[in-house]
Amino acid sequence: MERLGQVLVQNACRFPDKAAIIEGRMELTHPALLARVSALAGALGDHGARRVAVVLPSGHDVVCAHYATMIAGCEAMLLDARMPPDDLADLLGRFQPAVVITRSPELQPLTDLLGPTVQSVFLLPSVEDACCPRAKSQQAVQHVAWPGAPVWSALRDWGSLDEVALVLCTTGTTGARKLVSLTERNVLAAARNINEFTRIDASAREVTPLPLHRSFGLARARCLSLVGGTLIISPPRGDRALALIAQHQATGFSAVPAFLRMLIGTFGLRLARYFAGLDYMEIGSASMEHGDKLFLIEAAPRARICMHYGSTEASRSTFIEFRSERDKLDTIGRPTPHVNLRVVSEDGTPCSNGEPGEIVVQGEHVCAGYWGDDQLTAARLRQGWLHTSDCGSIDADGYVRLLGRMDDVMNVGGVKVSPERIENVAKSLPGVIDCAAVGGRDSRGIYGEVPLLYVVGDGSTSLSAQRVKSYCAERLLPEEVPHEVLFIDAIPRTDTGKIQRSHLRAQHA
Amino acid sequence: MALSQAIESEVIAICREVLDDPGITIESTSATVANWDSLGHMHLIAALEARYAVELDVLEMAEVDCVEMLIGVVWNALQFARGAVGGGS
């Protein structure tokens, strides 16, 4: 497998004048990206630290720091500098880095959170440096300067492909954040698999509003680097993303479904003006409304619209292309190239077609484990398979249907009930803006567990709990019909749009 | 009240309502209004387009980060709509 450093060197030679990353007015050519990465990798190599925390706001510096730490053979945790201080303190406390990479504007609020293990702080240049008060820190502060040319010595001593190189925090819908350990092999294999499906090449110019600390956004950067394309970083604002597509005649766009919903809801058919020139889109991280999928097929008439299913632990395990697989849009597609996927029963035996079970995944893209948590690693990675805790089934054509989290699937009198099935039906009732189903205790003691449905209504008087129940009863199995319908102001969701069912269960308990 | 003043007052009122901040003035910026985030900005576009029955120029809106600029974009859209419908008189 080609190493990341080799890829960056080749890009610098093949595309000396082409932008690798564009952010605002800054255009970083492939040679300039290589120069920055090698300078930082060199500084890390000279220091000798293995464990490094990167605390930066989303942007091109995150990509540079990620590449540099990987090339220098470090184990790097990427953290969003805008995280709440308590979360930052918790994650830094767990990780105990020897070096922190940040910028002057972020250092001052960060300095009180740095524990005794931190020996040095590497400060990347920032445009705010001139107006920023000189940052004070108890640790040795090393100012990194961006050179005009690569520091070749830094690009020779790469770490092992199979050592942990990247630690990412899961956003998670429940409990404490998990720290996922990834090797260079994992992330490069994932990028290769994704590119094979999306079919991008060196001509790719992609706009993304995705946060670059997270699995999805970071992988987009790597996918583009792998082919020598251009990453155009957008602020997370719909109109600015569209303006960048127009300004740079972008060929690609990547976003989460919630961002696309916001665009579709605000701009409607006007989106076609911006999406008409796209060759591809990548969508993922949460489920998407069927209507939005159909809308994109029309609004982006020549694009391969690729939606993935995956997780930080196994980036992109399945893909579906909306236009060519239109009759399978209710599924999450088929396994990504080079990925093995099965649905297994509780005893680990493969389920038959259509039978629900746990989705398990195998491939070079699957993470090395959970950082600092051998117990969780042993529980989730068994005999080379990642147990995703997602419930699904596979149809006769090999398409995977996602039924929810194993924990979320309800057992109603022995019948497995998927919350997503109930939600999809309820959402088709006029007046229902949003909804979420969870399992609750059957107070009559008959079924053990019964479905509860939380609904956000549009305020119309005709939408009553009884109306919702009757509507569902006409379209669902008796066990799937909500036992109780509760109206609330908003469904709790993560910032990527996933329903936080544990919050609703706690509310009802 | 001149039309431009009426629009200015109305846009400010819409901003106050959509962004749930009665303290918004013409000097307010996206950095000083807590709810003026990416979603709030989209809600503003939708509310202004619905109120004036115009399409705001996406590329112009992309530059907007304060109320004063927002008023300018609305004004341009209204002028464009008047020109398109009434021959620019």
Side-chain angles (χ1 to χ4, degrees), chain B residues 35-89:
Chain B
N35 292 333
W36 197 340
D37 53 11
S38 50
L39 188 60
H41 189 76
M42 294 294 109
H43 286 158
L44 268 183
I45 294 174
L48 292 166
E49 290 190 338
R51 166 63 188 87
Y52 295 107
V54 291
E55 281 189 1
L56 301 181
D57 186 286
V58 174
L59 303 185
E60 280 186 31
M61 276 305 294
E63 299 296 320
V64 168
D65 60 6
C66 64
V67 174
E68 190 172 7
M69 290 173 82
L70 192 59
I71 293 165
V73 173
V74 171
W75 181 252
N76 287 347
L78 286 169
Q79 293 298 98
F80 181 79
R82 284 177 68 194
V85 175
S89 60

Side-chain angles (χ1 to χ4, degrees), chain A residues 14-69:
Chain A
R14 286 170 63 203
F15 311 111
D17 302 317
K18 190 163 111 181
I21 304 179
I22 298 174
E23 186 175 17
R25 292 194 183 86
M26 191 237 39
E27 283 203 19
L28 206 54
T29 61
H30 283 281
L33 173 64
L34 177 64
R36 289 190 179 193
V37 167
S38 64
L40 184 54
L44 288 165
D46 291 344
H47 186 283
R50 165 120 175 94
R51 201 174 296 165
V52 176
V54 176
V55 188
L56 292 167
S58 183
H60 67 279
D61 281 338
V62 174
V63 180
C64 291
H66 165 48
Y67 288 177
T69 52

Side-chain angles (χ1 to χ4, degrees), chain A residues 28 177 209 214 235 267 323 388 412 438:
Chain A
L28 206 54
R177 291 166 188 271
R214 301 225 179 115
F267 299 113
R323 198 181 320 277
T388 63
V412 183
V438 294

